[in-house]
Amino acid sequence: MRKSHPVRRAVLAGAATVSGIVLLLSLKPASDPGAASAAGGAPPAAAQSPQGGRGAGSGTVTGDAAATQYGPVQVRLTVSGGKITGAEAVRAPKGGQSDRVTADAVPKLNRAAVAAGTADIDAVSGATYTSAGYVKSLQSALDKVAAASQGQDSGSGAGQGSGDGTGQGSGAGSGEEQGGGGQGTQVLTGDVAQTQYGPVQVRVTVSGGRITGAETLQAPKGGRSDQVTADAVPKLDRAAVSAGTADIDAVSGATYTSAGYKQSLQSALDRAGG
């Protein structure tokens, strides 16, 4: 009888061993953590959570750039649950003396915006123009938050009527008044009032029938008018919010600007039915 070669026996034994190991591994249940992830585990759920946060009134909103004598100012807000939780100036005057003024004023304005929760904040001493531009951009950011919130409300409320859906354009006053019954937030822009030194135009935010914000879109500028406007407009804006009507006092030294402001403010309130 022919004898088996020792090398051949070793090869056959090794092949049998490998086959046995493969068979055992194929019978073992899969326990790879990656399998649970691929099957729809925790990672996809975590990725969806920020979407829920935005739906609850959270996110970042950037206001319009406000031009000042020394350069544009633009504010970005972080909003959570309808409240300002963070503020930053993404644009501010720079170059020369402006660098020092910006470095000193902007952090103070950011803190004031978060603390107040509105654009009704005081100007920083020595940074009048930067402060005025900051307030203007801040108000435009808040207006966008209010408009977005109103859009969510009108989309989810079945009994709001068709007026809420059309209140985003120039006819905001009449559309919201029909649908919201005066309970929603309205952003109303008054007519341009012509004065001896230039046009004045006011935009107000009205919520629950009350003025919650006011800003000046147009005001006299150039030469001495820049200083008068920078001093008078923030005072007029605060007075409008405080009084809740156009019956506010003129700012000393800004008689014409004050008169134009009141005229434009009244036309805005007329659109709200007030």
Side-chain angles (χ1 to χ4, degrees):
M1 179 181 290
R2 187 177 179 183
K3 294 179 64 178
S4 299
H5 197 281
V7 174
R8 184 178 179 184
R9 289 199 302 271
V11 171
L12 290 174
T17 302
V18 170
S19 298
I21 293 173
V22 170
L23 180 60
L24 289 173
L25 289 176
S26 66
L27 295 175
K28 184 179 179 181
S31 59
D32 185 3
S37 174
Q48 292 173 2
S49 60
Q51 296 177 0
R54 284 194 294 269
S58 302
T60 57
V61 181
T62 303
D64 297 333
T68 76
Q69 182 174 336
Y70 297 101
V73 180
Q74 190 170 25
V75 179
R76 178 187 296 148
L77 299 178
T78 301
V79 180
S80 179
K83 294 180 61 179
I84 299 176
T85 57
E88 63 176 321
V90 295
R91 297 173 71 183
K94 59 184 178 180
Q97 177 77 3
S98 293
D99 288 335
R100 185 183 66 80
V101 173
T102 293
D104 174 67
V106 165
K108 296 178 181 178
L109 292 167
N110 289 338
R111 290 193 293 269
V114 174
T118 70
D120 187 16
I121 58 177
D122 293 330
V124 174
S125 178
T128 305
Y129 292 103
T130 298
S131 298
Y134 188 101
V135 168
K136 187 173 183 179
S137 182
L138 172 59
Q139 184 60 58
S140 73
L142 292 172
D143 291 343
K144 292 176 182 179
V145 172
S149 176
Q150 181 187 359
Q152 291 174 359
D153 291 343
S154 63
S156 60
Q160 292 296 318
S162 60
D164 283 340
T166 61
Q168 298 299 322
S170 59
S174 59
E176 291 170 0
E177 187 178 355
Q178 292 173 8
Q183 296 179 357
T185 298
Q186 300 172 276
V187 180
L188 306 164
T189 302
D191 297 333
V192 177
Q194 298 295 337
T195 76
Q196 182 174 336
Y197 297 100
V200 179
Q201 188 176 29
V202 179
R203 179 166 64 193
V204 295
T205 302
V206 179
S207 180
R210 296 180 57 189
I211 299 176
T212 58
E215 66 172 320
T216 305
L217 304 180
Q218 296 188 60
K221 59 184 178 180
R224 175 167 164 71
S225 292
D226 289 334
Q227 180 181 349
V228 173
T229 293
D231 175 66
V233 164
K235 295 178 181 178
L236 291 166
D237 288 340
R238 289 194 293 269
V241 174
S242 177
T245 70
D247 186 17
I248 57 177
D249 293 332
V251 174
S252 177
T255 306
Y256 291 101
T257 298
S258 299
Y261 187 101
K262 293 171 66 175
Q263 182 179 337
S264 182
L265 173 59
Q266 183 61 60
S267 70
L269 294 176
D270 290 342
R271 288 189 169 90

